[in-house]
Amino acid sequence: MKVLMKGNEALGEAAIRAGCRHFFGYPITPQTELAAYMSKRMPKIGGTYLQAESEIAAVNMVLGASAAGVRAMTSSSSPGISLKSEGISYMAGSDLPALIINVQRGGPGLGGIQPSQADYWQATKATGHGDFQILVFAPSTVQEMVDLVSEAFDAADRWRMPAMILADGMLGQMMEPVELPEEGERAQVEKPWAACGHGDKREHNIINSLYLTPDKLEDLVVERYKRYEQVKAREQRAEEYLCDDADVIIVAYGASSRVARSAVNKAREKGEKVGLLRPITLWPFPVDALRKAAGRAKAFLTVEMSMGQMVDDVRLAIDCRVPVEFFGRTGGMIPTPGEVLERVEGLL
Amino acid sequence: MPITVICGHYGCGKTNLALNLALEAAESGPVTLVDLDIVNPYFRSSDYGDILRGSGVGLIAPVFAGTTLDTPTLPPEIHSIFAPGAGKVFIDAGGDDAGATALGGLSPRLKEAGYELIYVINRYRALSGTPEECAALLHEIESAARLKATGIVNNSHLGTQTKMEHVLDALAFARETAEMTGLPLLYSTVPDFALRGEAPPEGFRAVGRLVRFAWE
């Protein structure tokens, strides 16, 4: 049976059903319901909910739990993710999987508490110091928040790297009907690398990100980047909506894509050929889908709740073959379908 | 009863119901809607000030709602609802016991003035979809609010995906909850779009979808 859930709660329940029993968090609007939900549910199922003394402590607890081989997660909103960036870098440097959820709010600094997508650069290019990437998934409905939590945990384990769900305050706070999977529907991979006790039966495993010998560190980073190439080849995801005959294609993810979809529907009612290409993975960026679309459309319009952080990725993906324009609102403002339609009509 | 308080699990549809009730009542006299949600800054009555003002409904909102100074404080004009000639008053409380706590301070005056407290339930809302869960939550809300509920409104729905069958299927749950809590089931709601032009069945009230997403 479908149930009505708030996005934040759905993320929590989906994580539990993906086998996560270790949540470490710290409150911040607009993601607090996720932590609150976990605080109610985890004790009932023998899991661990821990409100740490800070975001940094919480992310380091995730690192520890993940090193021991269990599925672990943390969640926060924009300023809190900045604080967690150190731990995310350490996990990347230790080849540890983990799930980090960012329910974005307006920035920079303390910013605001209304929805935003201004952490795109942070998520896809610089979640911390050093040469590394993390997987970034961008749901656009509460149901997709549920589905992508399982996918993110699986992909993180598969590639031994942290994964992020990049949501926003609107998705976190809104209520939509969801169908939840049963726990254990998906098999989890073995983790022979985990530091969970060798019992005198094998060499001990070491989880570490400190390598003082530069050639050894270079080798490790280069190996990681070879893995990233495989990730790029296999994990890209995007949804196309009415793109086949579109003259102009809107590129938007998350809550913005809901607005964009309404604008596309309005345009189609008027007989205007407009489509939507919605990245579901932001890293790896769905380059293949965009390249394919660039062969047909005469222009792209990216729509974001930021000053235009995804525009250059779209331009690079299509080698600037057709113009890529931008429309967005920032600071917690949400574009309206009418505003988007007006911009898109200017490109037809 | 001049004062109606609306309580329930957060996300059960309190604000949408409150907006509907206030707009309906405004057709026959002065109405004030008090947004007492000082726990969550999203999807609260204050966000719908334009709809309310457009229909002549007075809105009392948390001090500095929607600004940088948005703090969990009650507006002083809240006491005007007890003045003679205040008209019909609806109080939209925040979700759960946390949201109902703000009612606690008003409870002596509400008891003195007389009030109706409706407990809103939704069969499809996670964590409050069984009569047992609803009864347990009601107890927490009543303790925090220092007020007793006087009736249940069955607001079972599945958002934009609500169909008539969902609404009808939830009736047994609503009756069972009423029996378990000893409260009367006042009525059930049905979203107007689910009616598809038909009249609401006996015991149902049609409600409009006023709390919407930005892209609807």
Side-chain angles (χ1 to χ4, degrees):
Chain A
M1 190 186 81
K2 280 194 178 178
V3 289
L4 260 187
M5 289 189 104
K6 199 173 239 224
N8 283 335
E9 300 168 339
L11 288 166
E13 185 60 35
I16 287 169
R17 295 190 186 215
C20 175
R21 291 291 181 276
H22 296 84
F23 177 94
F24 307 96
Y26 190 81
I28 182 171
T29 304
Q31 68 82 49
T32 299
E33 292 84 0
L34 173 45
Y37 187 86
M38 290 307 214
S39 75
K40 283 186 186 155
R41 285 280 281 132
M42 283 299 194
K44 288 184 185 155
I45 52 172
T48 300
Y49 164 85
L50 200 149
Q51 182 174 318
E53 69 270 34
S54 71
E55 283 88 346
I56 301 169
V59 76
N60 285 321
M61 290 171 187
V62 172
L63 187 154
S66 174
V70 298
R71 286 195 160 174
M73 72 182 287
T74 187
S75 67
S76 194
S77 291
S78 309
I81 296 294
S82 295
L83 288 166
K84 288 180 197 292
S85 67
E86 179 186 86
I88 298 170
S89 171
Y90 277 53
M91 284 193 281
S94 310
D95 294 310
L96 288 175
L99 181 64
I100 299 120
I101 290 173
N102 183 0
V103 182
Q104 296 171 89
R105 59 186 249 179
L110 272 177
I113 54 174
Q114 295 298 323
S116 165
Q117 296 180 320
D119 302 347
Y120 176 92
W121 278 335
Q122 184 191 47
T124 60
K125 318 220 184 287
T127 357
H129 62 279
D131 283 320
F132 76 96
Q133 294 284 348
I134 62 169
L135 296 147
V136 184
F137 294 86
S140 69
T141 64
V142 179
Q143 181 65 56
E144 199 175 27
M145 289 169 113
V146 169
D147 301 341
L148 289 181
V149 163
S150 302
E151 303 277 348
F153 267 122
D154 286 354
D157 282 350
R158 188 157 57 240
W159 302 106
R160 287 186 66 181
M161 58 193 286
M164 178 179 280
I165 299 274
L166 191 66
D168 62 68
M170 181 51 63
L171 291 168
Q173 292 292 330
M174 62 189 258
M175 310 271 308
E176 276 187 325
V178 291
E179 194 99 51
L180 292 158
E182 289 302 321
E183 186 170 349
E185 274 180 8
R186 303 154 74 103
Q188 289 191 35
V189 298
E190 295 287 315
K191 295 178 178 172
W193 48 263
C196 51
H198 53 73
D200 288 330
K201 293 198 174 80
R202 58 162 168 79
E203 286 296 301
H204 59 272
N205 288 334
I206 298 173
I207 307 290
N208 176 42
S209 73
L210 175 67
Y211 296 91
L212 293 176
T213 326
D215 57 344
K216 169 76 173 151
L217 181 54
E218 185 186 48
D219 286 349
L220 278 170
V221 173
V222 168
E223 182 283 318
R224 220 167 268 142
Y225 270 70
K226 283 181 187 154
R227 223 180 322 145
Y228 293 163
E229 285 308 311
Q230 287 179 276
V231 176
K232 283 187 200 171
R234 289 172 50 187
E235 302 286 352
Q236 288 181 36
R237 283 215 216 165
E239 182 200 11
E240 289 185 27
Y241 179 64
L242 304 177
C243 285
D244 280 346
D245 64 342
D247 293 324
V248 177
I249 293 177
I250 303 176
V251 186
Y253 69 94
S256 300
S257 74
R258 304 284 294 265
V259 177
R261 206 180 169 97
S262 292
V264 167
N265 290 338
K266 283 175 194 285
R268 289 280 170 175
E269 279 167 24
K270 295 162 87 174
E272 295 161 353
K273 290 181 178 169
V274 180
L276 168 68
L277 198 149
R278 179 173 73 85
I280 297 171
T281 52
L282 298 179
W283 198 91
F285 198 62
V287 173
D288 298 345
L290 276 157
R291 273 191 197 140
K292 207 171 92 199
R296 305 179 299 248
K298 65 176 190 188
F300 286 84
L301 176 72
T302 79
V303 176
E304 302 174 56
M305 296 189 297
S306 75
M307 290 304 285
Q309 300 190 4
M310 187 174 62
V311 187
D312 286 344
D313 280 346
V314 177
R315 287 184 182 135
L316 283 172
I318 64 162
D319 293 325
C320 297
R321 274 190 282 165
V322 293
V324 180
E325 303 296 332
F326 165 71
F327 175 68
R329 300 290 304 269
T330 195
M333 298 300 292
I334 302 170
T336 66
E339 286 171 340
V340 175
L341 182 65
E342 197 184 314
R343 291 304 176 106
V344 89
E345 284 178 334
L347 299 172
L348 281 165
Chain B
M1 193 64 69
I3 301 177
T4 299
V5 184
I6 299 148
C7 282
H9 186 197
Y10 75 83
C12 67
K14 290 182 301 300
T15 294
N16 197 61
L17 180 69
L19 293 173
N20 271 276
L21 294 177
L23 294 181
E24 198 183 300
E27 290 169 13
S28 48
V31 176
T32 301
L33 176 60
V34 184
D35 178 3
L36 209 62
D37 189 348
I38 53 172
V39 254
N40 189 316
Y42 279 82
F43 298 111
R44 57 183 175 183
S45 299
S46 313
D47 297 338
Y48 304 91
D50 291 347
I51 302 178
L52 296 170
R53 276 186 290 272
S55 302
V57 175
L59 173 67
I60 298 179
V63 185
F64 305 121
T67 74
T68 303
L69 294 174
D70 196 338
T71 51
T73 44
L74 298 179
E77 62 265 42
I78 198 162
H79 296 283
S80 68
I81 63 173
F82 301 109
K88 176 69 196 164
V89 174
F90 295 96
I91 301 179
D92 181 14
D96 294 355
D97 48 332
T101 303
L103 283 167
L106 294 174
S107 73
R109 296 200 72 182
L110 283 167
K111 283 176 186 160
E112 194 188 321
Y115 67 92
E116 168 191 46
L117 191 155
I118 55 181
Y119 180 48
V120 183
I121 59 171
N122 181 351
R123 152 102 191 78
Y124 301 103
R125 179 70 181 102
L127 300 185
S128 63
T130 66
E132 292 77 13
E133 286 171 325
C134 287
L137 181 61
L138 173 65
H139 183 69
E140 291 171 19
I141 288 175
E142 286 181 330
S143 302
R146 297 184 216 163
L147 297 169
K148 289 284 174 202
T150 55
I152 286 176
V153 170
N154 170 30
N155 192 46
S156 295
H157 69 95
L158 261 179
T160 53
Q161 295 179 23
T162 313
K163 293 198 170 64
M164 205 59 213
E165 70 212 47
H166 297 127
V167 170
L168 295 173
D169 282 353
L171 259 183
F173 147 82
R175 289 188 183 126
E176 221 176 300
T177 306
E179 198 175 318
M180 195 173 283
T181 56
L183 292 170
L185 175 60
L186 303 174
Y187 54 90
S188 300
T189 66
V190 50
D192 50 10
F193 60 83
L195 286 169
R196 299 171 170 275
E198 303 280 320
E202 175 89 29
F204 280 84
R205 264 168 107 140
V207 290
R209 183 174 164 84
L210 301 172
V211 174
R212 288 165 178 255
F213 301 136
W215 46 82
E216 280 184 63

